[in-house]
Amino acid sequence: DTAVSQTPKYLVTQMGNDKSIKCEQNLGHDTMYWYKQDSKKFLKIMFSYNNKELIINETVPNRFSPKSPDKAHLNLHINSLELGDSAVYFCASSQDVNTGELFFGEGSRLTVL
Amino acid sequence: GQNIDQPTEMTATEGAIVQINCTYQTSGFNGLFWYQQHAGEAPTFLSYNVLDGLEEKGRFSSFLSRSKGYSYLLLKELQMKDSASYLCAVRDRFITDKLIFGTGTRLQVFP
């Protein structure tokens, strides 16, 4: 059983489209995250949720909207995709907001054409 | 603001020892982490330091000096499978706790 699973693993789409990435964790953790890793391998936090509540919202365009229906799920919806959105998006979870040990999903590679 | 610096690439030989340095500047330091990321895979947790000193875990050790804003990851008895990127990350609590990652050091181990 995968601890943090995200789907899809690969996503190829045209500019202007809307797409979603789903994430689920079965670790019983309270906190979930979305990170973006660009072509230079720089891993940057986008959002963080604790028990379904948004706690971190970095400077991310409004086109990105996270949704956490419950504390085991954190989905990411992206509107009007742009070329610069091409990256690997990693979902992660941690026991709580005070724990820095993150458990990452396998990543979702998004390519915008 | 935050700033984390690590070398971009390093090479080493199987069986050798390698030290990967990380320097950081942050407004609210609350711990330093090292993660390993193999190509095409997710990062995985290696170590955590919040107090000064050395933390040892098998072949891997991590050192922290808070006054110098400096850490290193020491890998002993290098194996081919240690070829990966090593990400230094600092937890910053200026506003709320969040993990800020450096750009990572890509280590290649040669036979």
Side-chain angles (χ1 to χ4, degrees):
Chain A
D1 250 359
T2 308
V4 181
S5 58
Q6 47 183 117
T7 55
K9 275 195 81 168
Y10 299 96
L11 199 50
V12 181
T13 189
Q14 301 284 339
M15 262 194 330
N17 284 350
D18 304 339
K19 289 294 175 188
S20 292
I21 309 172
K22 295 186 176 181
C23 179
E24 175 182 3
Q25 54 96 2
N26 63 7
L27 297 167
H29 287 170
D30 286 344
T31 313
M32 295 185 73
Y33 311 80
W34 277 110
Y35 278 83
K36 177 181 179 181
Q37 189 168 46
D38 60 25
S39 56
K40 293 182 180 164
K41 306 301 179 193
F42 182 47
L43 200 61
K44 191 171 183 340
I45 188 165
M46 300 172 70
F47 301 103
S48 170
Y49 273 71
N50 187 59
N51 274 317
K52 304 192 300 176
E53 299 294 324
L54 179 68
I55 54 170
I56 293 174
N57 183 350
E58 288 296 287
T59 312
V60 177
N62 290 340
R63 300 182 293 104
F64 290 78
S65 50
K67 277 194 175 55
S68 182
D70 55 62
K71 75 172 194 178
H73 295 85
L74 181 62
N75 304 322
L76 183 66
H77 187 76
I78 316 169
N79 289 328
S80 304
L81 278 157
E82 299 177 359
L83 293 176
D85 297 332
S86 295
V88 181
Y89 291 85
F90 282 100
C91 175
S93 74
S94 64
Q95 184 99 37
D96 51 50
V97 292
N98 297 315
T99 308
E101 182 179 350
L102 304 183
F103 292 78
F104 284 86
E106 291 185 340
S108 297
R109 181 177 290 277
L110 171 66
T111 303
V112 182
L113 304 173
Chain B
Q2 307 97 10
N3 194 33
I4 301 172
D5 283 314
Q6 346 174 195
T8 308
E9 289 194 2
M10 295 182 74
T11 58
T13 310
E14 210 174 2
I17 299 173
V18 72
Q19 177 174 311
I20 303 174
N21 296 326
C22 171
T23 57
Y24 65 87
Q25 291 171 313
T26 183
S27 41
F29 178 80
N30 192 24
L32 187 140
F33 299 78
W34 284 95
Y35 280 77
Q36 180 190 60
Q37 186 177 24
H38 284 101
E41 296 183 12
T44 54
F45 170 79
L46 283 179
S47 69
Y48 167 60
N49 295 69
V50 68
L51 299 176
D52 290 351
L54 190 69
E55 294 282 341
E56 296 186 74
K57 204 191 265 189
R59 294 187 300 114
F60 294 4
S61 305
S62 56
F63 171 83
L64 174 68
S65 167
R66 288 172 296 171
S67 60
K68 294 180 180 170
Y70 167 70
S71 172
Y72 67 72
L73 180 70
L74 194 71
L75 293 79
K76 300 177 191 171
E77 299 165 25
L78 277 173
Q79 302 174 10
M80 297 296 288
K81 67 178 182 178
D82 297 329
S83 293
S85 286
Y86 291 86
L87 311 175
C88 173
V90 170
R91 191 161 67 191
D92 185 291
R93 59 153 41 147
F94 180 64
I95 298 173
T96 186
D97 278 300
K98 59 182 177 182
L99 210 55
I100 312 294
F101 282 85
T103 50
T105 299
R106 188 168 162 244
L107 173 67
Q108 269 195 291
V109 180
F110 292 100

